[in-house]
Amino acid sequence: MRVLIVEDEQALADALARGLRREGMAVDVAYDGDEGSEKVGITRYDVVVLDRDLPGMSGDDLCAEIVGGVTRVIMLTASGALRDKIEGLALGADDYLPKPFDFPELVARVRALGRRATPAVPPVLRAADVVLDPSKRTVTRHGAPLELTRKEFGVLEVLLSASGAVVSSEELLERVWDENADPFTTTVRVTVMTLRKKLGDPGIIDTVVGSGYRVPVHAPATV
């Protein structure tokens, strides 16, 4: 899941980014509304965590710029008044969370919004005997748990979410890594290679030459 945090309190923004990355999400950060608008114009995010009170472009204006597409918005504000919550939702925000808040609640809300992105994906992803649970951060094959790195988990999650469609290396880089990733490295290919080894035989990840990777809907199961 690709997430953008737009928050002018730099310490808070960085802390939220570190926490969401530990949850396996690819996270970018913007410290004002103008920077947030620029990033939204370049990258398709699943969820934007948006502070309402921002320097530069206001959170309200940025929210209005985002809504209408597949990106979901959770708005943060220092005010927990009902009137402010109603105003935030009326702007098109999908969710609203007053400060201060508990980080686990933010994680749960971000995941819930991510599942509402288009196309919608089920809470638990499966292919043959491989089962991935995004909320629990677990993967099993034939009932046996697999120890995956965050990036391996993210790649498998994107491939399973594609429901058999081909996913390009460029899209995997965009969905699983953040803006600091070097697009000219072999990091995606190497991650897919190590993921295949951990998944074992028979292999479920196909390489589509010149296009990318896919997990077929009817992937082979272990015997």
Side-chain angles (χ1 to χ4, degrees):
M1 183 188 303
R2 190 73 179 266
V3 178
L4 173 65
I5 296 171
V6 189
E7 167 62 64
D8 63 316
E9 295 182 39
Q10 185 168 343
L12 174 59
D14 292 345
L16 293 178
R18 288 193 299 270
L20 293 178
R21 287 172 185 145
R22 285 195 296 268
E23 294 293 325
M25 303 178 197
V27 184
D28 298 334
V29 178
Y31 301 116
D32 60 55
D34 294 331
E35 184 182 8
S37 177
E38 181 180 349
K39 290 181 184 296
V40 167
I42 295 173
T43 303
R44 183 180 71 82
Y45 293 98
D46 298 297
V47 179
V48 174
V49 180
L50 176 62
D51 184 33
R52 190 171 183 185
D53 302 311
L54 292 170
M57 177 183 285
S58 71
D60 290 358
D61 289 344
L62 181 53
C63 181
E65 183 178 284
I66 295 170
V67 297
V70 299
T71 301
R72 305 300 180 180
V73 177
I74 178 169
M75 187 168 280
L76 307 179
T77 180
S79 174
L82 178 60
R83 176 181 176 181
D84 292 292
K85 181 176 182 179
I86 293 173
E87 288 178 353
L89 296 174
L91 290 166
D94 299 279
D95 202 353
Y96 192 94
L97 191 60
K99 301 175 184 177
F101 51 83
D102 292 327
F103 182 72
E105 181 179 5
L106 175 65
V107 173
R109 288 172 181 257
V110 168
R111 289 200 185 283
L113 290 180
R115 289 195 295 269
R116 291 170 55 187
T118 303
V121 297
V124 176
L125 302 170
R126 303 172 186 272
D129 53 357
V130 174
V131 180
L132 182 149
D133 188 325
S135 61
K136 295 181 180 178
R137 307 296 300 167
T138 59
V139 178
T140 61
R141 183 162 200 188
H142 201 56
L146 302 178
E147 296 295 330
L148 304 184
T149 67
R150 294 176 189 169
K151 298 309 181 187
E152 291 165 353
F153 187 98
V155 167
L156 183 59
E157 184 177 9
V158 171
L159 291 175
L160 293 178
S161 298
S163 301
V166 177
V167 182
S168 68
S169 295
E170 292 77 14
E171 184 175 354
L172 285 172
L173 191 67
E174 180 177 302
R175 308 311 309 154
V176 180
W177 282 262
D178 60 28
E179 62 188 350
N180 297 315
D182 184 349
F184 300 105
T185 66
T186 59
T187 184
V188 172
R189 181 174 60 83
V190 171
T191 301
V192 171
M193 180 180 66
T194 59
L195 175 59
R196 281 173 165 153
K197 290 181 179 179
K198 291 183 179 182
L199 289 170
D201 295 322
I204 67 166
I205 301 176
D206 294 341
T207 297
V208 181
V209 178
S211 297
Y213 305 94
R214 69 178 173 190
V215 174
V217 174
H218 302 293
T222 54
V223 179

